Amino acid sequence: MWTFYFQQLVKGFPLFLKGLWMTVAVAVISLIAGTIIGLFMGIARSGRNKALRWLLAIYVDFMRGTPFLVQIFILFFILPEWGIQLEAFTTAVIGLSIYAGAYISEIFSAGITTIPKGQIEAATALGHTRYQQLRYIILPQAFQVALPALVGQYVLLIKDTSVVSAIGVMDVTRVGWLTVQRVPEGLMVFGLVGLLYFAVCYPLIKLSNILEQKLSKQPLRL
């Protein structure tokens, strides 16, 4: 019986690869958008506008304090009641992007706060605009500090893509749920799902470790 299940799993492997491609597509688009959102929010949270900082803090606390599953359900099931109908893939990308943006903004904000105030004061005294300070002084150093944590956050968010299977996105987790209905060997099926996630995440885990070790041995450089 185990051999029969294994043969069925092998036959269905191309479907798992399609699901993995969908997982990667959702993850890549969402992480690019989430990084952009997080970068601008991180800059804003380190700025002087107290009202904006307060509003962004509420947003970040809400996104970090509620389950991603609840957030994706709100987008997919509640918004249509207000006349906003989104496809499952679009919902997944939007939901994961704004969710990722909250976490990534914290990483960038923390990186920006590590920049010595003396450098910013010196740049201001030299007549550099805020944009010039960000481009040439603040962001290069902030990226260097934030990069290991940023890559590590990417790994966590790739694993969070498994949640979008709950709204019908045909990702690798969804394929696993459909497969286990005809191959009732859960350990075998979801063992394969786990291996596919691991194949995507492991290079990023190693990259994060390498960056962390490398950057810890050298001083910040502009």
Side-chain angles (χ1 to χ4, degrees):
M1 184 63 71
W2 187 89
T3 303
F4 173 75
Y5 289 154
F6 181 77
Q7 291 173 347
Q8 293 297 310
L9 196 61
V10 171
K11 290 181 180 179
F13 188 70
L15 188 58
F16 279 91
L17 291 181
K18 290 182 180 180
L20 182 63
W21 169 250
M22 179 62 73
T23 294
V24 172
V26 171
V28 170
I29 296 173
S30 301
L31 293 179
I32 291 174
T35 301
I36 295 172
I37 293 171
L39 174 60
F40 283 101
M41 286 181 56
I43 293 172
R45 294 193 68 189
S46 63
R48 299 177 181 178
N49 191 320
K50 293 183 179 180
L52 181 58
R53 294 205 312 264
W54 181 75
L55 289 174
L56 292 177
I58 292 176
Y59 163 76
V60 170
D61 289 343
F62 176 80
M63 300 304 294
R64 297 179 66 188
T66 56
F68 178 55
L69 181 61
V70 173
Q71 298 170 19
I72 207 77
F73 277 175
I74 291 174
L75 290 175
F76 194 68
F77 294 113
I78 305 301
L79 288 186
E81 298 181 3
W82 298 345
I84 304 175
Q85 186 73 45
L86 299 174
E87 297 292 333
F89 180 83
T90 304
T91 303
V93 169
I94 293 175
L96 192 61
S97 296
I98 60 178
Y99 179 73
Y103 284 86
I104 293 174
S105 71
E106 289 287 276
I107 295 173
F108 280 124
S109 179
I112 291 173
T113 57
T114 63
I115 309 303
K117 292 184 179 180
Q119 295 187 16
I120 300 175
E121 292 172 354
T124 302
L126 292 173
H128 290 182
T129 65
R130 176 64 174 172
Y131 171 77
Q132 291 174 324
Q133 293 175 20
L134 286 170
R135 181 178 178 181
Y136 298 111
I137 299 173
I138 298 174
L139 290 184
Q141 296 182 83
F143 268 112
Q144 187 173 343
V145 172
L147 193 55
L150 187 62
V151 175
Q153 187 63 48
Y154 286 168
V155 174
L156 296 176
L157 292 169
I158 289 172
K159 292 186 289 185
D160 285 337
T161 61
S162 61
V163 175
V164 304
S165 63
I167 60 173
V169 177
M170 194 58 68
D171 70 328
V172 68
T173 301
R174 182 73 174 180
V175 172
W177 280 115
L178 295 176
T179 302
V180 82
Q181 296 177 19
R182 60 183 179 82
V183 183
E185 184 60 48
L187 180 61
M188 183 186 300
V189 173
F190 284 101
L192 176 58
V193 171
L195 286 175
L196 291 174
Y197 275 109
F198 180 77
V200 175
C201 293
Y202 183 71
L204 288 176
I205 294 173
K206 295 300 292 182
L207 177 60
S208 177
N209 293 337
I210 291 172
L211 289 172
E212 188 171 357
Q213 294 175 3
K214 182 178 180 179
L215 294 177
S216 66
K217 296 179 180 179
Q218 63 183 29
L220 291 174
R221 294 179 181 176
L222 289 177

Coordinates of all heavy atoms in Angstrom, one line a residue, residues 34 36 59 67 105 139 183:
G34 N 6.5 44.6 -0.4 CA 6.6 44.8 1.1 C 7.9 45.5 1.5 O 7.9 46.3 2.4
I36 N 9.4 47.8 -0.4 CA 9.2 49.2 -0.8 C 8.4 49.9 0.3 O 8.7 51.0 0.7 CB 8.6 49.3 -2.2 CG1 9.6 48.7 -3.2 CG2 8.2 50.7 -2.5 CD1 9.0 48.6 -4.6
Y59 N -0.6 51.3 12.7 CA -0.7 50.3 11.6 C 0.2 49.1 11.9 O -0.2 47.9 11.7 CB -0.3 51.0 10.3 CG 0.1 50.1 9.2 CD1 -0.9 49.4 8.5 CD2 1.4 49.9 8.8 CE1 -0.6 48.5 7.4 CE2 1.7 49.1 7.8 CZ 0.8 48.4 7.1 OH 1.1 47.5 6.1
P67 N -3.4 37.8 13.5 CA -3.0 36.7 12.6 C -3.1 37.1 11.2 O -4.1 37.7 10.8 CB -3.9 35.6 13.0 CG -4.5 35.9 14.4 CD -4.6 37.4 14.4
S105 N 9.3 47.5 7.9 CA 9.5 48.8 8.4 C 10.2 48.9 9.7 O 11.0 49.8 10.0 CB 8.1 49.5 8.5 OG 7.3 49.0 9.6
L139 N 20.8 55.8 4.4 CA 20.3 54.5 3.9 C 21.5 53.5 3.6 O 21.3 52.3 3.8 CB 19.5 54.8 2.6 CG 18.1 55.4 2.8 CD1 17.3 55.5 1.5 CD2 17.3 54.6 3.9
V183 N -4.4 10.5 -1.7 CA -3.2 9.8 -1.2 C -3.2 10.0 0.3 O -2.5 10.8 0.8 CB -1.9 10.3 -1.8 CG1 -0.7 9.4 -1.3 CG2 -2.0 10.2 -3.4

